[in-house]
Amino acid sequence: QVQLVESGGGLVQPGGSLRLSCAASGSIFSIYTMRWYRQTPGKQRELVAAITSGGITNYADSVKGRFTISRDNAENTVHLQTDNVTPQDTAVYYCSYRVISSAGTEYGPHSWGKGTLVTVSS
């Protein structure tokens, strides 16, 4: 089992910077995809960004050009950051983890963190 803990959320002013972190622990495989999702009450959870252990990234159109997903020196930590948040970025942000097989395909269920709330307001 993989445990994920998100951090870095809080109150941010429009145009400000945001840096979220997701720390993974437990039975971590060496090949995986980690993703950031976000959800606003009453709306479906949406994918924000993804990164594989090989460094391949993908972004939703709503954040492309503003958000960056990355890994730090610790292989079990992923970040999501921007220097220009908007009120539309207000949401609970969730981190997920999923294993990639030796054949190059994902398998099994996602592991999820409990989320961190980001509120963008002046």
Side-chain angles (χ1 to χ4, degrees), residues 5-9 19-23 36 115-116:
V5 179
E6 302 96 337
S7 62
R19 181 177 173 86
L20 304 179
S21 299
C22 175
W36 285 98
T116 183

Side-chain angles (χ1 to χ4, degrees), residues 44-83:
Q44 184 174 333
R45 185 176 299 183
E46 65 174 349
L47 176 66
V48 178
I51 187 169
T52 70
S53 52
I56 301 173
T57 59
N58 188 45
Y59 297 92
D61 289 341
S62 59
V63 303
K64 194 173 300 182
R66 293 193 299 117
F67 280 52
T68 300
I69 187 170
S70 64
R71 293 171 51 183
D72 64 8
N73 291 334
E75 295 183 355
N76 62 346
T77 303
V78 171
H79 304 282
L80 182 71
Q81 63 185 91
T82 180
D83 60 0

